[in-house]
């Protein structure tokens, strides 16, 4: 039997990091088993679906490393509406489902509670199909439904506690429970690897598989992903869009490494490992069922490690979207003709050790390409205190007289200027850094001045001195 797994997102918004984690787990499992990864877009919510969201799913999978030539599909759930209705009809004809005309208000009136489930009022009324009548599955009165789960063991559900649930709405359209089951049957899915939040639906779906005469798949419900307050990650409250992390400058390799650690860990005391190791060592049966904490600070640290591990030429290439404003990345604050590729290449090794996400490259190097530095007024106020004007005058004089414009000469000159005024280098360089770069922190100052050049450095120092008059 060929293993077939599926990832079935809905095109109703940005791509959730939890969904990306599930996609990766399905994809790796299929590769390990010599099986097939199927992408099925569940697009039956016509009011919320947008074509751009579907394309967003495909591009997000591309970015995370699941290339389009490595999976089957995409299939679209809307294309299988006929199969869904046919399955509902078979269940009705076999006596496994019945029509119900109860409104929610009527059920609440009979049960005296808005929280109690359906009371089975129409179970034996023998209603024929009709407008506004929903089709309900006839849940067995006795026995249990055992869900064999590779991660959670064998959760057992008493059938009498499962209400007769709706499988088709009053207009005849199947609900998610039935459509999902029929799609999996149609596509020959052997293993369903999905988020824990779907576990409560699983006994109902397994009952549908049994009623339709098909062996259920092997289930594996991976842990829910939570925030620092141990709340389930929410699109409304948390930063969950994979695209947002991509556009901020997280590397795909770092993201997929981190996502795979949400509920699982490679062997040994290590977390940052080659993808080949993850592909070889990942086991569904070793996934921890407890909620997995999505720690953005830890992800950021991961990303910094991955950035520092890049060869410099790859780092330069990775920064290009932020330097040029391509794709979904906002344009940088300088004009295209102001960008100097050689100057960036010269400072790239310095910047590479100091940023954790690629978008941080812009504030670190903008002073090289802007006609004038973008001054942080808080930094100016902090650096340009009493004595700053005198120090800038001395720095201008010292730098003007330099024969060799190199980092070591620039440093020794400013050290001497500071020493004459009883200042250590750290204090002496603060006004110079703000005058030239606009900020109190950034790349190593003297290497930056060397790349910026004599003329532009002196022009900025003099402009800062005039502002202090």
């Amino acid at each position: 039997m060929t293993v077939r797994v599926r990832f079935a997102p809905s095109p109703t918004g940005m791509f959730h990091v939890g969904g990306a984690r599930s996609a990766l787990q399905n994809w790796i499992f299929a590769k390990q088993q010599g099986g097939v990864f199927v992408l099925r877009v569940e697009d039956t919510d016509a009011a919320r679906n947008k074509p751009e969201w579907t394309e967003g799913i495909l591009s997000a999978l591309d970015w995370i490393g699941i290339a389009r030539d490595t999976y089957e599909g995409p299939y679209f759930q809307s294309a299988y509406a006929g199969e869904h209705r046919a399955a509902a009809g078979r269940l009705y004809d076999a006596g496994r489902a019945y029509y119900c005309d109860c409104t929610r208000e009527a059920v609440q009136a009979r049960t005296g509670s808005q929280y109690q489930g359906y009371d089975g009022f129409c179970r034996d009324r023998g209603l024929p199909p009709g407008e506004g009548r929903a089709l309900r599955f006839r849940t067995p009165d006795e026995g249990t439904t055992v869900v064999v789960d590779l991660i959670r063991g064998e959760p057992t559900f008493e059938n009498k506690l499962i209400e007769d649930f709706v499988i088709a709405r009053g207009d005849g359209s199947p609900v998610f429970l039935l459509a999902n089951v029929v799609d999996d049957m149609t596509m020959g899915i052997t293993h369903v690897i999905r988020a824990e939040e779907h576990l409560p639906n699983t006994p109902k779906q397994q009952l549908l598989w049994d009623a339709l005469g098909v062996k259920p798949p092997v289930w594996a419900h991976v842990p829910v992903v939570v925030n620092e307050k141990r709340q389930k990650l929410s699109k409304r409250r948390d930063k969950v869009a994979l695209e947002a992390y991509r556009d901020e400058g997280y590397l795909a390799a770092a993201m997929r490494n981190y996502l795979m650690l949400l509920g699982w860990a490679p062997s040994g005391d290590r977390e940052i490992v080659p993808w080949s190791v993850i592909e070889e060592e990942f086991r569904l049966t070793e996934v921890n069922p407890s909620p997995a904490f999505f720690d953005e600070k830890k992800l950021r640290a991961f990303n910094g490690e991955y950035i520092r591990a890049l060869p410099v030429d790859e780092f330069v290439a990775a920064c290009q979207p932020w330097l040029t404003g391509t794709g979904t990345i906002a344009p940088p604050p300088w004009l295209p003709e102001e960008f100097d590729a050689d100057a960036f290449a010269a400072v790239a090794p310095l910047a590479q050790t100091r940023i954790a996400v690629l978008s941080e490259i812009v504030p670190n190097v903008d002073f090289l390409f802007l006609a004038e530095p973008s001054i942080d007024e808080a930094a100016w106020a902090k650096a340009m205190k009493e004595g700053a004007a005198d120090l800038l005058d001395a720095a201008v004089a010292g730098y003007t007289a330099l024969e060799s414009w190199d980092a070591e000469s620039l440093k020794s000159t400013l050290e001497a200027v500071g020493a004459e005024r009883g200042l250590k280098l750290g204090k002496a360089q603060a006004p110079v850094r703000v005058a030239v770069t606009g900020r109190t922190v950034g790349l190593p100052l003297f290497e930056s001045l060397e790349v910026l050049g004599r003329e532009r450095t002196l022009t900025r120092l003099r402009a800062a001195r005039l502002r202090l008059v």
Side-chain angles (χ1 to χ4, degrees):
M1 178 185 69
T2 299
V3 167
R4 290 176 62 85
V5 300
R6 49 77 165 173
F7 177 59
S10 298
T12 56
M14 304 295 276
F15 197 70
H16 197 291
V17 292
R21 190 268 308 259
S22 294
L24 286 169
Q25 291 172 329
N26 274 278
W27 188 63
I28 290 177
F29 181 77
K31 289 186 69 175
Q32 290 176 337
Q33 304 299 319
V36 178
F37 175 88
V38 176
L39 174 62
R40 182 174 75 230
V41 179
E42 299 194 333
D43 62 338
T44 52
D45 188 349
R48 297 175 61 204
N49 294 341
K50 295 181 181 179
E52 56 265 36
W53 294 134
T54 297
E55 182 55 38
I57 291 170
L58 300 178
S59 63
L61 290 175
D62 270 344
W63 180 73
I64 205 69
I66 302 178
R68 301 191 191 195
D69 61 356
T70 64
Y71 57 81
E72 189 178 295
Y75 299 113
F76 293 88
Q77 190 172 63
S78 57
Y80 295 86
E83 285 85 347
H84 303 158
R85 290 178 181 269
R90 291 199 303 274
L91 290 170
Y92 174 70
D93 292 341
R96 300 303 302 269
Y98 61 91
Y99 283 96
C100 171
D101 62 2
C102 295
T103 64
R104 182 176 300 176
E105 291 75 17
V107 174
Q108 291 178 2
R110 288 196 301 269
T111 62
S113 171
Q114 61 178 316
Y115 304 108
Q116 187 169 327
Y118 180 66
D119 59 355
F121 180 78
C122 291
R123 208 173 217 247
D124 300 314
R125 292 177 65 196
L127 294 177
E131 183 177 352
R133 291 177 178 175
L135 186 64
R136 289 183 178 274
F137 182 77
R138 190 185 298 273
T139 303
D141 294 320
E142 300 178 347
T144 60
T145 296
V146 179
V147 175
V148 179
D149 192 297
L150 293 178
I151 296 172
R152 300 175 186 278
E154 297 185 357
T156 301
F157 302 84
E158 291 189 62
N159 291 334
K160 66 181 180 181
L161 298 180
I162 303 174
E163 67 176 8
D164 288 356
F165 51 92
V166 173
I167 58 175
R169 303 176 184 87
D171 62 2
S173 62
V175 302
F176 165 80
L177 285 173
L178 180 62
N180 195 263
V181 166
V182 173
D183 289 343
D184 285 344
M185 289 181 180
T186 303
M187 297 174 188
I189 302 303
T190 62
H191 294 70
V192 172
I193 305 165
R194 61 185 182 180
E196 176 187 356
E197 63 196 68
H198 294 288
L199 183 59
N201 291 329
T202 306
K204 297 177 181 179
Q205 291 182 316
Q206 186 156 307
L207 287 170
L208 289 172
W209 280 83
D210 292 337
L212 289 167
V214 182
K215 181 181 178 181
V218 177
W219 307 99
H221 288 89
V222 300
V224 65
V225 182
V226 298
N227 62 19
E228 60 185 4
K229 295 181 180 179
R230 298 306 187 265
Q231 301 167 320
K232 178 186 171 184
L233 284 187
S234 165
K235 291 182 179 180
R236 295 181 178 87
R237 180 184 58 238
D238 303 303
K239 181 180 173 183
V240 301
L242 189 70
E243 297 94 330
Y245 288 99
R246 177 194 64 195
D247 293 350
E248 191 177 337
Y250 283 82
L251 299 178
M255 176 61 79
R256 65 174 176 251
N257 184 165
Y258 181 71
L259 288 176
M260 288 301 296
L261 298 181
L262 297 177
W264 175 82
S267 61
D269 186 18
R270 54 184 180 163
E271 293 182 312
I272 297 178
V273 295
W275 185 246
S276 59
V277 171
I278 293 177
E279 286 190 320
E280 180 181 348
E281 294 191 1
F282 176 71
R283 297 291 183 273
L284 269 177
T285 52
E286 295 175 0
V287 172
N288 190 322
S290 301
F293 172 34
F294 186 87
D295 186 346
E296 191 174 344
K297 293 179 180 177
K298 185 173 182 178
L299 171 60
R300 180 181 170 85
F302 258 59
N303 202 65
E305 292 288 337
Y306 270 87
I307 285 176
R308 288 186 285 277
L310 289 174
V312 175
D313 60 338
E314 291 185 21
F315 173 72
V316 170
C319 288
Q320 293 307 304
W322 288 268
L323 299 172
T324 59
T326 57
T328 57
I329 308 302
W334 53 80
L335 298 174
E337 60 269 21
E338 293 176 314
F339 179 68
D340 184 336
D342 291 336
F344 177 69
V347 300
L350 306 175
Q352 186 174 1
T353 64
R354 286 166 170 77
I355 66 173
V357 292
L358 293 175
S359 58
E360 292 175 346
I361 196 63
V362 172
N364 271 278
V365 302
D366 62 357
F367 72 95
L368 285 173
F369 312 123
L370 294 171
E372 297 178 356
S374 177
I375 300 294
D376 179 337
E377 294 301 328
W380 179 275
K382 182 179 179 180
M384 300 302 183
K385 296 180 179 178
E386 184 178 355
D390 174 58
L391 188 140
L392 290 176
D393 284 336
V396 168
Y399 285 167
T400 300
L402 277 179
E403 293 184 5
S404 176
W405 191 264
D406 60 80
E408 189 57 39
S409 299
L410 291 162
K411 178 182 178 182
S412 60
T413 297
L414 193 58
E415 276 183 322
V417 168
E420 290 172 0
R421 288 155 180 79
L423 299 174
K424 293 184 178 180
L425 182 59
K427 293 288 186 181
Q429 70 179 2
V432 174
R433 179 183 290 279
V434 173
V436 175
T437 71
R439 297 178 176 85
T440 54
V441 295
L443 305 185
L445 176 61
F446 305 108
E447 288 82 353
S448 298
L449 299 184
E450 180 179 341
V451 175
L452 186 64
R454 183 192 301 266
E455 182 179 348
R456 296 178 72 193
T457 298
L458 292 173
T459 297
R460 293 182 182 189
L461 291 174
R462 289 173 180 135
R465 175 63 182 87
L466 287 174
R467 183 176 171 180
L468 290 173
V469 173

